Amino acid sequence: MPNLHDSTTASSSSRPASAAPEHLNNTGCRIRYSEGNGRGVYASRAIPAYTLLEISPALLFTAEEYEAHGRHTVLDHYTFKWRDGRMALALGLGSLFNHSDCPNVSYSIDTTTESIRYTTVRPVEPDEELCIYYGPNLWFEPAGTSSESTCAGTELVEDSDGWGGLGLSALVDETPNHVLEEDTPDPKEILPDDDLPFTRVKLTSDEDDEETLETVRTVQAWAVDIPDPRHTTSALKWLKSSGIDTPTLAHLKRVRKSRTGTHSTLLLTSTSPTAPELPPELDLAPPYQLTVPRSAALTPASLALKNALWPTVFAPRRKGEPEDWTRARAHWACAAMARVVREARAAQAAGELPIASYVPAPPEEPAWASYLARDTRVSSAHPLRHAVLNVVRALSGSTSTVASATTIATGSPSPSPCPSTSASAKNGQHYLLTSRALFTTHEPCVMCSMALLHSRVKEVFFLVPMGRTGGCGGAACVPKLEGVNHRFAIGRWKAGAGGISAEGLEINEDIDS
């Protein structure tokens, strides 16, 4: 810990603890003096990982103003350079967090609101000091440590994780913050797929675009020529009331006019094995079968090919397109995967299968509750106590998605966060995982994948592929199945990404996870 605050007042470390001011903070923070460190922020109770502790407004000075006045005052010990070159002072608790090489709090700049968000990166014990990482270029000697010390019980890895230090590049067992330095990469920068910690599982193949004649999928359908175009409207009305009109041809236009304009052709149905019976009053020729596209056109090239068979609806793919990922979101994903791996190892130590699942608060909604569960089939002697189902069950038992806590499911009824009707509505009244991501150590089995689909999960990330039993690309890919009414994104974690290892988490490949 640094002697930072002592540098401003020589006698500060000798002040009694009672001299520390009270601080009203509903996350359990308090200000306290300690020998050698001066004032600092401490936990008054246990604080779960990923709890938003503080949003500190930043007081900003122009470079000229600070050079002329600020640097000559005590403020010089508390300010840092903002991204636009101005100098910033964190108000509230922001300027009272001491330094640690093993921080338990991360922070991020929000330039839109000119504030700084402080979040725990691991569970914090009562009376533990809450510390951040100031960066490698300290201007003081940390109290009680040497400048070359490292964190006990952790292994340093190279700071080249592909996310500019936002992944688990500093510590294997804990999640570091990103540092507020001038050369810190922009957390809002969009990362290319090669730099993401996971590989996207493609839910559509290249053939789904159907941009060559050989890949255009077709079906046989019944049609009838209408010699007098004036009867087209009457024929359409009859088709609508006939009962043979089904949604299977909804991607096709119903009428095709001849190039000469002398007649029209009406598309009838593709489900009838025999020719449908036509109304005698229209005096039409017998229907016949022709080849039509089986699905809508997703690209202009596909549209041209399909229109040559029959006029087809153009529906360029939007929903389900890969989402852009920022550095900050990659950092969030690394923290979430690290958390689920720790839980799996704890489960293994308790005699369970080393499988765990985690639904973290979305980065854009940090106040939402997080849900953590492990596989409990061994202890419960119940075949359906999979980690994924346990975490969904924990979430369903909650009356709200808003809480500064992580709910841990152990197979027994789990505690529920404080109710909040508005927040519950924001996450969807009828589906449990709308807009939520799920991180899990092992690829979910087909049963769990179907449960996630029906819960409307947004995205699923797994560390260990299960080729024989997995439902997210292993034995099957549930969101890719034809006829499902929801698709969720899938990410397969890259080996070693963010310093996260699956070593020791291996299970029999025939086990449903």
Side-chain angles (χ1 to χ4, degrees), residues 50 55 165 169 183 189:
Y50 317 118
I55 302 178
S169 59
D183 57 352
E189 179 186 354

Side-chain angles (χ1 to χ4, degrees), residues 10 50 60 89 104 134-135 141 195-196 199 211 216 221 231 297 301-302 343 350 447 461 474 513:
Y50 317 118
L60 300 175
L89 173 69
N104 51 17
Y134 289 3
E141 184 71 17
D195 289 345
L196 294 176
T199 300
E211 294 186 333
V216 174
H231 293 160
S302 175
E343 180 65 16
M447 175 183 67
F461 302 92
S513 58

Side-chain angles (χ1 to χ4, degrees), residues 324-345:
D324 288 337
W325 274 67
T326 62
R327 289 186 182 275
R329 190 170 180 84
H331 170 235
W332 165 81
C334 284
M337 187 57 78
R339 182 68 184 95
V340 79
V341 168
R342 289 199 300 271
E343 180 65 16
R345 298 194 190 283

Side-chain angles (χ1 to χ4, degrees), residues 296-314:
L298 302 179
T299 66
S302 175
L303 180 64
L305 291 172
K306 293 188 175 186
N307 278 343
L309 297 174
W310 188 271
T312 306
V313 173
F314 181 45

